Amino acid sequence: MSGFRLSRRALIGGLASGGGMLLSGCNEQSPTYGSILRMGDNFTYDAQRLLLSHGKLVREYDRSQISSMPATGMVDPGKIEGGEAYAALRKGGFEDWRIEVGGRVARPGSFSLADLKRMQSRTQITRHMCEEGWSAIAEWTGVALPVLLAAVGVASSARFVQFHSFDGWQDQIDMVDALHPQTLLAYGMNGRDLPIGHGAPLRLRVERQIGYRSMKFLKRIVVADHFDTFGATSRGWAWHTGI
Amino acid sequence: MRGIPLANAAVHDSLLRCNTEARVAGASAGEASELKAGGGHRLWVRLTHWTIAGAVLTLIYSGVAILMVHPKLYWGMAGNDLMTPLFEIPIGPNYRQGSFGPAEPFFAAAGGPVTADRLVEPWNQNGWARSLHFLAAWFFLLGIAAYWLAGLFTGHLRRNLLPRRNELGGRNLWADVKAHLRFPMPIARVGPPYAILQKISYALVALALPLMFLTGITMSPAITTDYPVLLDLFGGTQSARTIHFFTFAFLALFLLVHLAMILLTGPLRQLRAMVLGGAE
C-alpha cells in the first residue's frame, strides 16, 4: 500500500512536469520528436491531461447491451514464427503461464492465473472503440492494474507501465491510466475464460484509450521511469489515443 | 462586359443584390466603416480564411482516409463487422471486404452476440491519418475561434452575415434565387455586403460546425468519460460517427458551391481579393 502512495506522489510530479512541457511546447515523451504529427498528438495528450479528470470512470453498460465483437489483429500467437512457447502454454490450459512484473517495483515477481484469480477481482461492461471506426460492448473480468501495482510496490520514480506480449507487441501507458480503477488485467470475457482471439490468457483493458492500446496475450509488465519508443509508436502510430 | 461598370459598383451594389430590400438593409453607415475602401476583405478575414481553408482540406483528406479503413456506418453504441450496418460507403479497398472465421456465440441463447477471428487484416492508413486529422482539427479550432471572436468584436458577423428579418421575405429570397440562376452570373463586388442566399448558407455552416465538433469528440473514449452526456445526445458512438459523416457531406457540398460561385464570378479577382484584400 505504501508503494501505491509513492506512485501517486510520482504521478503529481509527472503532472507538474507535464504542465511545464505544455508551456514550453516540448514533450520529452514524444516518441519521434520533430515530427509534426507527433507534436499534434503530444498537444492532444497535454490538453487532455490538463482539461480532463484523471479518475472519472468510463460508462459501464448493462449485460443486455453486450454486442458481437470480432477478434482482430493477432488472433493466435501460437501460429507465428517463434510461437512454440505460447502454443505449449495454450496446450496446457495456461496452467504454466506466468506474468512477470518487474522494473521500478519494490517486490518484483511473477503471477500465475490462479494467483491473479485469488486477488480482488473486478467485472466491467465497457465499450471497445477501435481506431478503424468500429466499436463493441463486452464484459471483462480481471484484476485492476492498480491492485497488482500496489501488490508489487511501485517506486516513486515510476512514470510509465510497459506491457510486453507473446506476439512481440510492446506498449506503455502513463501513471494516470495505469492507476485508473478501470484499467484492467482481464482473464475473463462475457462470463467465460478470455478466448484465444481476444488475447488469452490475459489482456489489458485501457478503457479511456482506443482499442489497440488494450494489449492482448500479456507476457511481462515492466514499471519504468522513462518512455521507450517501441511497438506501434516506432511504426508511426500515435502513442496517446484518447481521441 | 460581364456585370456592371466599375464606376457604378459602389452606387449600385451589384446585380446579385439588385433588389431594394437588400440594398436598404446593407447600406447602413456602420457598414461603410466596416468595409475597406472599394469593398474587399479585411486582413483578419483573409488570415483566418486561409488558416481554416488549409485545415478543412487536410481534415477532408485525412477524414476520407479514416473512413476508407472502415466504410460501414452504424447506429447506436456498438457497430462492427459482425453486426448489420446501416449502409456501406463504396469507397476504398475495404469496401465489401473482410474475411472471418466461424462465428462463435458468447452465450448459450440463440441469436445472441458472437465473436469470430478476422482472417485478413484490412487496408489501414490510420497511423498517419488519425494523427493528421486531429492536428488539422487543432488548426481548424484555432482559425474558427479567431474568426468568431474577431467577427463578434468588429460587428462583422452581426452586420454582414446575420440575415435580417426584412431580407428573409419571399420576394427578396426569390429575387436572389433568380439572380443566381442567371448566366453568365452577374459580377458581385468582392466581400460584404452579402446577399440573402449567401447569408443563409453561412448560417447553416455555422450550425454544422459545432455539430461536426461534438460528433467528433463523441468518438473519443477519453472525452466521453468526462462528458457521457455526449453519448446520450447522439444516441451512441456509432450514431455520432454516422452524423459526423452526413455533416461532412453537407459541408463538402457547401465547399463545392462556394468554389463554383467563385469560378462563376471571376475567380482571379475573387482569389486576389482573398489574398491581397483589395477589391476591384
Side-chain angles (χ1 to χ4, degrees), chain B residues 8 19 135:
Chain B
N8 278 352
N19 52 85
L135 179 71

mmCIF file with all atom_site columns, all heavy atoms in Angstrom, chain B residues 8 19 135:
data_model
loop_
_atom_site.group_PDB
_atom_site.id
_atom_site.type_symbol
_atom_site.label_atom_id
_atom_site.label_alt_id
_atom_site.label_comp_id
_atom_site.label_asym_id
_atom_site.label_entity_id
_atom_site.label_seq_id
_atom_site.pdbx_PDB_ins_code
_atom_site.Cartn_x
_atom_site.Cartn_y
_atom_site.Cartn_z
_atom_site.occupancy
_atom_site.B_iso_or_equiv
_atom_site.pdbx_formal_charge
_atom_site.auth_seq_id
_atom_site.auth_comp_id
_atom_site.auth_asym_id
_atom_site.auth_atom_id
_atom_site.pdbx_PDB_model_num
ATOM 1  N N   . ASN B 1 8   ? -19.970 52.195 -61.324 1.00 0.00 ? 8   ASN B N   1
ATOM 2  C CA  . ASN B 1 8   ? -21.302 52.113 -60.757 1.00 0.00 ? 8   ASN B CA  1
ATOM 3  C C   . ASN B 1 8   ? -21.384 51.186 -59.551 1.00 0.00 ? 8   ASN B C   1
ATOM 4  O O   . ASN B 1 8   ? -22.392 51.152 -58.869 1.00 0.00 ? 8   ASN B O   1
ATOM 5  C CB  . ASN B 1 8   ? -22.288 51.598 -61.809 1.00 0.00 ? 8   ASN B CB  1
ATOM 6  C CG  . ASN B 1 8   ? -22.737 52.740 -62.702 1.00 0.00 ? 8   ASN B CG  1
ATOM 7  O OD1 . ASN B 1 8   ? -22.425 53.895 -62.430 1.00 0.00 ? 8   ASN B OD1 1
ATOM 8  N ND2 . ASN B 1 8   ? -23.440 52.402 -63.770 1.00 0.00 ? 8   ASN B ND2 1
ATOM 9  N N   . ASN B 1 19  ? -32.099 43.953 -55.602 1.00 0.00 ? 19  ASN B N   1
ATOM 10 C CA  . ASN B 1 19  ? -33.421 44.307 -55.098 1.00 0.00 ? 19  ASN B CA  1
ATOM 11 C C   . ASN B 1 19  ? -33.338 45.356 -54.007 1.00 0.00 ? 19  ASN B C   1
ATOM 12 O O   . ASN B 1 19  ? -32.320 45.494 -53.326 1.00 0.00 ? 19  ASN B O   1
ATOM 13 C CB  . ASN B 1 19  ? -34.096 43.047 -54.566 1.00 0.00 ? 19  ASN B CB  1
ATOM 14 C CG  . ASN B 1 19  ? -33.191 42.355 -53.596 1.00 0.00 ? 19  ASN B CG  1
ATOM 15 O OD1 . ASN B 1 19  ? -33.175 42.694 -52.428 1.00 0.00 ? 19  ASN B OD1 1
ATOM 16 N ND2 . ASN B 1 19  ? -32.387 41.416 -54.091 1.00 0.00 ? 19  ASN B ND2 1
ATOM 17 N N   . LEU B 1 135 ? -4.480  16.856 -35.754 1.00 0.00 ? 135 LEU B N   1
ATOM 18 C CA  . LEU B 1 135 ? -3.611  18.031 -35.887 1.00 0.00 ? 135 LEU B CA  1
ATOM 19 C C   . LEU B 1 135 ? -4.356  19.128 -36.657 1.00 0.00 ? 135 LEU B C   1
ATOM 20 O O   . LEU B 1 135 ? -4.388  20.297 -36.241 1.00 0.00 ? 135 LEU B O   1
ATOM 21 C CB  . LEU B 1 135 ? -2.321  17.645 -36.618 1.00 0.00 ? 135 LEU B CB  1
ATOM 22 C CG  . LEU B 1 135 ? -1.330  18.779 -36.847 1.00 0.00 ? 135 LEU B CG  1
ATOM 23 C CD1 . LEU B 1 135 ? -0.692  19.191 -35.523 1.00 0.00 ? 135 LEU B CD1 1
ATOM 24 C CD2 . LEU B 1 135 ? -0.249  18.378 -37.838 1.00 0.00 ? 135 LEU B CD2 1
#
